[in-house]
Every structure is written in C-alpha cells, then in structure tokens.
C-alpha cells in the first residue's frame, strides 16, 4: 500500500487543499433563549468555489455544502428559509424524528421562487443523538437541486457526547458530493438514461474540496462524521492502514464500536467512525473503492453507472503532532432497547417500470414505482397507526441497487437470523435481486410523510410512496 511520507506529501501538496474544516456551524442568534436554535438559510445560485475553482452551483448561504446546524434533544428549532433560486424548492430534515406536518418537516410544502418560509419544530427530549442532514425535497427536482450542492449537516448532540473517550476526540465532518460540470464550471444536466441509472458527476468533493486534509495526532483519536450527500454515487470507504471503528449509523449510536476495513455508504446514509493515530507519521488516503450498483439489466446501459470501476481519493489523513495522552475506546456505548413484535407486516415491491421487451426509449422507462404505482402526492399508499410496530419488507427484483429511506421514524434492519439489528437507521440498501426487512415503531407524530429510494433520480422518477400515520 503506498503510504506517502512527509516529503512526498509536501511535493504533492499543490493537489491537496486546506484542512477539512466545514464552515463555522450556525449558532443560535444572540438574544435567543437557551434551547432555541434559530438559523437563517438562503438557497441561491451563484459562483461557488468547489474543488478549487468557480462552479455555478446552488448553495445555502453561499456555501457548498451548507452550514452545519447543531441542536440538542428538547430544543426548539426555527429555520428561516429564503428561496432565492429561479425555481420552487423546500427543505427536508433527513432522519430527524420531528413532526412531518404544518411548518415542521413537511416535505409536501412548496416554496415558490423568491418566497420565504419559516420552519418550526421541536426535537423531542428523547431524540437520538446523531448526524442528520437537510436538503430540498421538491418532487421532480430533488436530484438536480441536491446535485447542484444543496445539502448540509444537522448534528443532534446525544449519548455519545457524554462518553469522554469519544467526546474528547477532534470531530471533523465530511460531506461527500459529486458534481458534473463543464470546463467552465457550469452544471451539466443528465439525459434520461443517466437519470434512470442515477446521475453521477466526475468531480468528487469532500466539503467542497478535492482531497482535503484531515489532521490527526499520533496516538490521538478523531471522530469522523461522514454524510453521503450525493444523488446516486455510492462510496465504499477504506482508510489506508487504519481500521474504521464504527460508532454510529444514520439515526444513532451503536451498542459498541465495530472495527471495519471497509464501509459502504449509500446516498442519504451517515456514519460516525473513530480513527486512531496508531501508525507511523505520514499521510494516509481515505479511498472510495470500486462498487457496482447495477444497471438497467440491458447490457450496454449497465456500464453507464460510472462509479463501479474506479478508486477515488476522498481526503487524506495527515499526522501532525503527538497526543498528550492516549486511551482506548469503551466496549459499550449505548443501550438500544428491542422493539416489540410487529403487529402488521407489509411488503413493498420496487419497480423500474421497464418490462423486458419494452422499447428502451418507451415511456415505461420513466415509471419508477413502488407496488406498481409511481408517486402521487395526493394519494396515501400506506396507512399506519400511531404507536404501532410494523415490519416492512422491501423487495428488489430489479438489476439495480436501491437504498430505501423512510421519513419521521428510524427503523432497525432485521438480520439474517430474523432478529432486528440493534442500530437505528433510516436508509437501508436493498441490493439488486434481494429483499430486506425493517422494523419500526411509529412514535409521537401523526401526519403524512414519505418513503422512497434515495437515489434521488429514482425518487424524482416515482419510486416514492406516501405514508400516513394516524392518531
Ligand atoms: Cu433524504 Cu426523503 O429524503
Ligand atoms: Cu428523509
Ligand atoms: Cu433506486
């Protein structure tokens, strides 16, 4: 494995941009009471520096990715949102367990161009700590708006922040995005075939930078929060010579750290990993290894995905300095109570609406669906009872992977032994030609929400359903 030494690293420094620090987190505005997070976000198109050059993208407050918002369980959150795009948009607070109604996390809202909307919601006192995020959810435009840069991290402090061995570590945040830009920095709109596969861009950025540095002290630890904010690209992560100690996924912490050589992170997913500075001083690349997420099952088109055959360098972990002391990770992190047995079981058949024998260019190609139906915001597909526990099976008989996501309540994935895995997730990868079950309890909030594939082109093309939680 080619580890760079400091000398060769300095030579290569021109291709490595500054430290991977995200823009300063937004904070409660002066005068706001404790427990009240009050932030302003403005979506606007403009020239934004991505990968070291001007790109004509969409930013929140002029930044790609958007600013980090930080809150605690029990906080009231207010987001004063201004739409300065030339098109309608809205915001979704991905993974937050908050009300899906009114002016809370309501993905049915549409904010016309030039208009404002103030989002208001309460984080329950029992909310899980974790790495969440915000992004537009304007049906039909989600992939384009997110792929142009609209995504930001929303951190909820929680159980892990009470554990000194974790809380004392430096805490870099990495937002992974990919962009398809012309030489002059203008965004390229994909054609229908690319949308069906899920658009990918050749410019892969972490915090808007190509291969930024992440500093680590020898014998020290970092707690790395990683968000896959790409429309479609999967990242199969490996850090040269370092195990990744997974401590949290999507919506919350794990019962104990798990050492991994590689972790696959699909669109919408988040992980928190601990990395120990236990190797010789030097630079170690955080790589995304080849992964094949399948195709339309039509030979030639299957090769259009783009991410399957290349290794990409996402960032470089650079040793600098020596930690004053070192420590081990505790073997126990949090307790996750089991869900009670499900009273209702449902299945969801994912469809690409492109039957064999249908013409490639036929209208059927547009019809991504769940249980045979494409998304219709005016129809309720699934009615559930508030307080009930259900088991859902996602059945993927297509030739392409579909990472499925459910709003409002996290779930536990059912393992091969039939028991739920103790981890709260809100996106689950349903690989091509496979099926997977998840269990969830509909807690606290009634209202209408959505479930969908988080390959955002698939969502836009109709692979989304409406869930109504009835009190
Ligand atoms: Cu991150 Cu409905 O999405
Ligand atoms: Cu979501
Ligand atoms: Cu999909």
């Amino acid at each position: 494995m080619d580890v760079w030494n400091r000398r060769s690293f300095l030579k290569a420094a021109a291709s490595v941009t500054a430290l991977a620090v995200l823009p300063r987190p937004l904070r409660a505005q002066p005068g706001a009471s404790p427990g009240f997070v009050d932030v302003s976000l403005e979506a606007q198109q403009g020239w934004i520096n991505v990968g070291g050059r001007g790109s004509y993208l969409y930013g929140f407050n002029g930044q790609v990715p958007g600013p980090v918002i930080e809150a605690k369980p029990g906080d009231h959150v207010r987001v004063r949102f201004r739409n300065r795009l030339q098109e309608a948009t809205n915001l979704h607070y991905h993974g937050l367990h908050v009300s899906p109604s009114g002016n809370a996390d309501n993905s049915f809202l549409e904010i016309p161009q030039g208009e404002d909307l103030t989002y208001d919601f309460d984080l329950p006192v029992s909310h899980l700590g974790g790495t969440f995020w915000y992004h537009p959810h304007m049906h039909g435009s989600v992939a384009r708006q997110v792929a142009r840069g609209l995504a930001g991290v929303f951190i909820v402090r929680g159980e892990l922040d009470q554990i000194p061995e974790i809380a004392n570590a430096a805490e870099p945040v990495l937002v992974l995005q990919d962009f398809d830009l012309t030489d002059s920095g203008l965004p390229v709109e994909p054609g229908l075939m690319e949308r069906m596969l899920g658009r990918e861009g050749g410019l892969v950025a972490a915090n808007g930078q190509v291969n930024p540095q992440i500093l680590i002290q020898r014998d020290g630890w970092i707690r790395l929060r990683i968000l896959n904010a790409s429309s479609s690209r999967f990242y199969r992560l490996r850090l040269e010579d370092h195990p990744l100690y997974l401590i949290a996924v999507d919506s919350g912490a794990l019962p104990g750290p798990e050492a991994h050589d590689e972790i696959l992170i699909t669109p919408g997913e988040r992980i928190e990993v601990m990395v120990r500075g236990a190797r010789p001083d030097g630079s170690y690349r955080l790589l995304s290894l080849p992964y094949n997420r399948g195709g339309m099952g039509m030979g030639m088109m299957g090769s259009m995905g783009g991410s399957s055959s290349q290794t990409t360098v996402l960032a470089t972990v650079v040793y600098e300095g020596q930690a004053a002391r070192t420590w081990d990770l505790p073997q126990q992190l949090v307790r996750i109570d089991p869900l009670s047995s499900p009273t209702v079981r449902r299945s969801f058949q994912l469809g690409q609406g492109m039957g064999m024998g249908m013409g490639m260019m036929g209208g059927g190609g547009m019809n991504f669906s769940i249980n045979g139906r494409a998304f219709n915001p005016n129809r309720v597909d699934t009615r559930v009872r508030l307080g009930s526990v259900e088991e859902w099976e996602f059945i993927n008989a297509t030739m392409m992977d579909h990472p499925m996501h459910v709003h409002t309540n996290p779930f536990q994935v059912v393992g091969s032994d039939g028991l739920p895995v103790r981890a709260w997730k809100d996106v689950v990868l349903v690989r091509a030609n496979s099926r997977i079950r998840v269990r969830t309890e509909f807690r606290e909030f009634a209202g209408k929400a959505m479930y969908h594939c988080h390959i955002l082109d698939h969502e836009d093309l109709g692979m989304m359903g409406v869930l109504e939680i009835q009190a």
Side-chain angles (χ1 to χ4, degrees):
M1 201 156 271
D2 51 332
V3 175
W4 301 349
N5 62 34
R6 182 130 197 110
R7 205 180 178 83
S8 64
F9 168 73
L10 287 173
K11 272 198 225 141
S15 64
V16 181
T17 48
L19 175 66
V21 225
L22 271 179
R24 218 153 36 89
L26 285 172
R27 300 259 169 222
Q29 283 166 0
S33 43
F36 182 39
V37 174
D38 187 357
V39 299
S40 299
L41 288 178
E42 181 170 290
Q44 197 173 14
Q45 185 163 35
W47 290 96
I48 296 170
N49 191 310
V50 165
R53 60 160 211 209
S55 310
Y56 199 56
L57 292 171
Y58 290 177
F60 285 118
N61 300 356
Q63 302 175 180
V64 169
V68 175
I69 300 175
E70 202 175 303
K72 312 180 295 309
D75 279 354
H76 181 78
V77 179
R78 175 168 296 164
V79 177
R80 302 163 194 269
F81 179 64
R82 300 163 73 91
N83 178 11
R84 295 295 173 267
L85 302 174
Q86 304 297 309
E87 57 176 313
T89 190
N90 63 11
L91 287 182
H92 166 52
Y93 304 88
H94 180 129
L96 289 187
H97 177 58
V98 298
S99 168
S101 310
N103 275 17
D105 182 25
N106 182 348
S107 298
F108 293 90
L109 295 172
E110 296 185 7
I111 307 167
Q113 68 174 85
E115 297 198 7
D116 304 343
L117 187 102
T118 298
Y119 287 94
D120 263 300
F121 51 86
D122 290 302
L123 288 176
V125 177
S126 60
H127 201 286
L128 295 164
T131 309
F132 303 91
W133 63 300
Y134 59 93
H135 64 79
H137 217 282
M138 184 69 216
H139 184 61
S141 311
V142 181
R144 177 165 37 79
Q145 295 185 353
V146 174
R148 289 187 179 197
L150 294 177
V153 165
F154 192 119
I155 291 175
V156 180
R157 293 286 159 195
E159 305 83 344
L160 290 180
D161 303 286
Q162 311 297 318
I163 300 175
E165 291 90 336
I166 289 169
N168 291 339
E171 194 188 290
V173 178
L174 274 193
V175 178
L176 304 177
Q177 293 170 296
D178 60 329
F179 303 95
D180 193 4
L181 300 168
T182 65
D183 288 342
S184 48
L186 298 174
V188 178
E189 270 312 301
L192 177 60
M193 289 305 147
E194 286 168 278
R195 292 174 60 211
M196 288 168 60
L197 289 163
R199 70 186 70 194
E200 293 192 14
L203 175 63
V204 177
N207 298 349
Q209 302 166 40
V210 173
N211 191 14
Q213 287 182 39
I214 302 166
L215 298 182
I216 192 168
Q217 291 185 316
R218 192 147 46 78
D219 297 328
W221 287 93
I222 55 173
R223 170 190 186 179
L224 196 49
R225 294 181 190 259
I226 304 177
L227 158 66
N228 182 349
S230 282
S231 278
S232 320
R233 187 180 279 268
F234 288 25
Y235 299 94
R236 192 178 136 214
L237 303 174
R238 174 194 281 276
L239 175 58
E240 289 176 327
D241 290 353
H242 292 71
L244 299 169
Y245 296 94
L246 187 66
I247 56 167
V249 292
D250 292 355
S251 281
L254 298 182
E258 294 173 4
H260 293 271
D261 288 330
E262 278 179 30
I263 299 176
L264 181 69
I265 173 171
T266 72
E269 284 188 299
R270 294 86 65 206
I271 53 170
E272 291 179 40
V273 292
M274 299 292 293
V275 174
R276 186 176 210 163
R279 306 298 297 179
D281 281 356
S283 298
Y284 301 85
R285 300 175 304 175
L286 177 65
L287 302 171
S288 179
L289 302 174
Y291 181 82
N292 182 2
R293 58 185 178 83
M296 298 298 292
M298 302 186 70
M300 177 196 93
M301 291 166 58
S303 65
M304 281 174 61
S307 67
S308 56
S309 58
Q310 277 179 344
T311 294
T312 312
V313 183
L314 301 173
T316 301
V317 170
V318 179
Y319 278 65
E320 192 175 87
Q322 166 76 45
R325 56 192 186 87
T326 190
W327 63 83
D328 293 326
L329 284 184
Q331 285 317 295
Q332 244 106 64
L333 297 176
V334 301
R335 217 188 68 195
I336 298 179
D337 293 326
L339 285 168
S340 50
S341 304
T343 51
V344 179
R345 290 166 203 274
R346 302 176 197 269
S347 60
F348 299 86
Q349 179 91 37
L350 312 180
Q352 274 163 219
M354 198 164 176
M356 298 306 278
M358 261 180 113
M360 270 208 330
M361 303 298 168
M366 292 297 282
N367 186 20
F368 279 60
S369 62
I370 298 178
N371 288 340
R373 301 198 288 199
F375 177 68
N376 176 348
N378 301 314
R379 183 186 68 220
V380 172
D381 298 285
T382 307
R383 279 198 176 82
V384 305
R385 281 254 151 250
L386 187 64
S388 65
V389 175
E390 297 204 357
E391 186 168 287
W392 289 14
E393 184 168 42
F394 295 112
I395 302 167
N396 180 3
T398 76
M399 311 276 286
M400 210 187 314
D401 290 1
H402 296 292
M404 295 301 295
H405 167 55
V406 186
H407 288 204
T408 312
N409 290 278
F411 50 71
Q412 294 180 7
V413 176
V414 177
S416 45
D417 56 0
L419 298 172
V421 176
R422 300 284 175 88
W424 290 111
K425 290 195 45 71
D426 54 59
V427 179
V428 64
L429 174 59
V430 192
R431 292 182 200 263
N433 285 308
S434 75
R435 45 177 77 202
I436 209 150
R437 286 178 290 153
V438 301
R439 268 187 210 177
T440 191
E441 181 172 0
F442 301 96
R443 291 179 181 163
E444 275 163 302
F445 302 108
K448 285 202 283 177
M450 293 150 180
Y451 52 89
H452 57 87
C453 177
H454 221 288
I455 289 180
L456 299 176
D457 284 298
H458 296 173
E459 173 188 343
D460 281 334
L461 292 170
M463 195 180 279
M464 175 153 71
V466 175
L467 165 69
E468 184 172 18
I469 305 167
Q470 294 181 316

